[in-house]
Amino acid sequence: MVAAVRGCGGVWRRVWQCGAGGSASLGQCAAASSARGAVAPAGKSGLAPWVPVVGLEIHAQISSNSKLFSGSQVQFAAPPNSVVSFFDASLPGTLPAGYQITQQRVPIAVNGTLSYSLCTDHKMSQMVTKTVRIKQIQLEQDSGKSLHDDSRSQTLVDLNRAGVGLMEVVMEPDMCCGKEAAAAVRELQLILQTLGSSHAVMAEGQLRVDANVSVHHPGEPYGVRTEVKNINSLRFLAKAVDYEIQRQIEELENGGTILNETRAFDSKLGCTVPMRDKEGKQDYRFMPEPNLPPLILYDTKSLPANINHQQVVNIDRIHERLPDLPSVKRAKLVEQYGILPEHSFTLLNEDGLTEFFESVVKRTQMKPKKVIGWILNDLLSYLNQHSLTVKESPVNSSMLADLLNLLEKKEISSTAAKQVLGELWKGEGKTPLEIVKEKKLELIQDQEALEQICQAVIDGQKNEVMAIKAGNHKVLNKLIGLVQRKTQGRSNPVLVKQLLEKKLLD
Amino acid sequence: MRALSLGRWLRGAVRARSDGPGRARPVPGSPQKVTVDVLDHLEHLALVDFRDSEGVERLQKAIQFADQLHEVNTDGVEPMDSVLEDRCLYLREDDVTEGNCTKELLKNAREKVEEYFVAPPGNIPLPKLEEQETYLQSS
């Protein structure tokens, strides 16, 4: 059973230097019982352990058609200033526009939690569930984009993004390493995509993550935190957080101090660097927005009568119409198909893989528990090797289903099936059956012929036969191997074993 | 309301992200003097150079002008953010009804480069407080 744990309880010791050829995954978060700090450089051993603290501020772009307060389109990579209304551009200038509207005092939601899982080892055999508290979710406007033209000391401004609705999700510092941060964000991403409220693609700026990182000794107050920005993928999030933790530990162990600053992650160097280009000290100068009446959320009980339904947000109604969230989907997959929880995670994690799996299961007699092996071990590894998405797979679900049916009907061996899959991968348009016939991979169905071959092998291996009859049954495998060779892999090893045993041991 | 915010700001009710230098807290009611720290903070925020005494004096006069608002007794009166507070926010249909007016948008721009607005140069690197030669230091 898995228990919900807040924070990983892991402790860090000083690990090898970043950039000195060491891996960027600087020490894993170990369970509290084993502080696996790996190699500590000589001369600094026996130091007190560090507890890293990681909080996240996530901005998710709302995938609405129009902007929060204007009717201009929400569109990625549109020509500059083409999806901008007069309002977005603060024209004609009478209103106090040009300020970002946000929910400073009363955010739309507070006190939530997010459950996420991670595997404690690389084999994905043990999953642990963690939770992170969500302090609040607030609505705000996105800002425009500025491009710095240093050659002409100019700043060019594109307001396409200005006014697009954002959800800012503030996560409490309940995480302790890059892996946890990435796993939490991944789960949030899946939830948002399932709900359809955000496409949450980090590469397109629809999901932006800033990490707040600090370290302290157990029992002592939290240390000074830095904010890390410019993180463009989940992988970089984990790297940036782990690097920053390590940097702070080293700085403090060398007698230095941590500045409460904003740092940028440099993905090429795998490091965080101070953001010198910041506009000095930040002072947001919040002021109330006088032109917006309050947004009131209702539930079924508080819903006023005789009101235009288009004008009302009823959270009960929204709740009723929610699709299955990822955690529910996973549980259903496990229950329906008898697969392991780890499998359900991989299925949901890869875009389109669940649909592929279910499609194959529908078309084949093979049990889902066996099908999942082919999906996760064979298909997925091919896809990963060639950096392809499920949609781009040259092998589609009906092709795989046909192949698995041949295997299930014992027309081919599993070794032959893997061979056929390799051929299918080439995408030459042949069906599994055609490849089997072409490469002569069918299992010999003629039992008599098989018996004759077995007998021939027995006759030719007098020593081995004696050993088997004397009690050394392991030698049987050698005979099976010889039969396989004689039949060019077209014999069913299970059947061969039965036949040999019948001849030798009866 | 925005002018009131300015007054409130100077009394230190600001939410600053990072820690700035200690700001003087003037006595409410009396004409507020602009201290060196406040000036430095303002200069960093607004990227405006108050280098000459005229600038600082104009600033002080502006603050004095706004301070007249304090002559209104607001004891026991709940602050009002909006005259619309008894209404409900109007929810618009999520339809695209605007945009596609790049030419018109850029018509009034003093400078433009290939359909981008050109912003005035920002980030004037200001010398640190100790290095500054503001006339205030002598006062």
Side-chain angles (χ1 to χ4, degrees), chain B residues 36-68:
Chain B
V36 172
D37 286 344
V38 166
L39 196 64
D40 182 53
H41 188 73
L42 270 178
E43 285 182 331
H44 271 93
L45 287 177
L47 299 170
V48 166
D49 207 337
F50 286 97
R51 214 142 271 191
D52 57 4
S53 62
E54 228 190 280
V56 178
E57 179 150 339
R58 208 177 309 139
L59 173 66
Q60 296 214 144
K61 285 216 169 115
I63 295 167
Q64 262 174 276
F65 179 78
D67 277 347
Q68 290 178 95

Side-chain angles (χ1 to χ4, degrees), chain A residues 282-349:
Chain A
Q282 283 291 343
D283 183 339
Y284 290 128
R285 292 174 280 179
F286 289 100
M287 64 173 131
E289 169 54 64
N291 296 298
L292 290 174
L295 169 67
I296 301 181
L297 304 180
Y298 298 98
D299 57 17
T300 316
K301 257 197 279 177
S302 63
L303 201 61
N306 309 324
I307 199 162
N308 178 3
H309 280 277
Q310 195 260 337
Q311 283 305 312
V312 147
V313 178
N314 179 350
I315 61 173
D316 283 341
R317 186 150 182 268
I318 294 173
H319 195 246
E320 282 161 31
R321 289 149 73 218
L322 286 182
D324 280 348
L325 292 186
S327 51
V328 173
K329 278 197 204 168
R330 285 184 206 117
K332 282 190 176 174
L333 286 171
V334 169
E335 218 218 278
Q336 192 179 351
Y337 299 112
I339 58 176
L340 296 174
E342 302 87 90
H343 298 159
S344 69
F345 265 94
T346 314
L347 282 180
L348 253 72
N349 224 22

Side-chain angles (χ1 to χ4, degrees), chain A residues 21-84:
Chain A
S23 75
S25 61
L26 309 163
Q28 315 299 317
C29 269
S33 53
S34 62
R36 211 185 101 216
V39 179
K44 291 243 177 176
S45 56
L47 289 168
W50 291 100
V51 179
V53 176
V54 180
L56 298 175
E57 263 170 47
I58 300 162
H59 288 87
Q61 227 180 42
I62 300 173
S63 58
S64 53
N65 301 323
S66 59
K67 296 184 180 178
L68 205 54
F69 297 112
S70 84
S72 19
Q73 194 179 359
V74 174
Q75 194 189 351
F76 179 64
N81 291 307
S82 62
V83 287
V84 182

Side-chain angles (χ1 to χ4, degrees), chain A residues 66-67 71 81-82 155 157 290, chain B residues 82 92 94 97-98 100 117 119:
Chain A
S66 59
K67 296 184 180 178
N81 291 307
S82 62
T155 300
V157 175
Chain B
S82 168
R92 170 174 56 87
D94 185 21
T97 56
E98 305 179 90
N100 268 315
F117 293 100

Side-chain angles (χ1 to χ4, degrees), chain A residues 120 204 485:
Chain A
T120 51
E204 288 181 12
R485 241 201 289 159

Side-chain angles (χ1 to χ4, degrees), chain A residues 331-369:
Chain A
K332 282 190 176 174
L333 286 171
V334 169
E335 218 218 278
Q336 192 179 351
Y337 299 112
I339 58 176
L340 296 174
E342 302 87 90
H343 298 159
S344 69
F345 265 94
T346 314
L347 282 180
L348 253 72
N349 224 22
E350 203 67 40
D351 198 23
L353 196 58
T354 308
E355 291 75 24
F356 194 102
F357 167 68
E358 294 192 293
S359 175
V360 173
V361 164
K362 245 192 255 175
R363 293 171 207 238
T364 178
Q365 298 103 302
M366 185 182 277
K367 287 214 173 102
K369 270 195 205 187

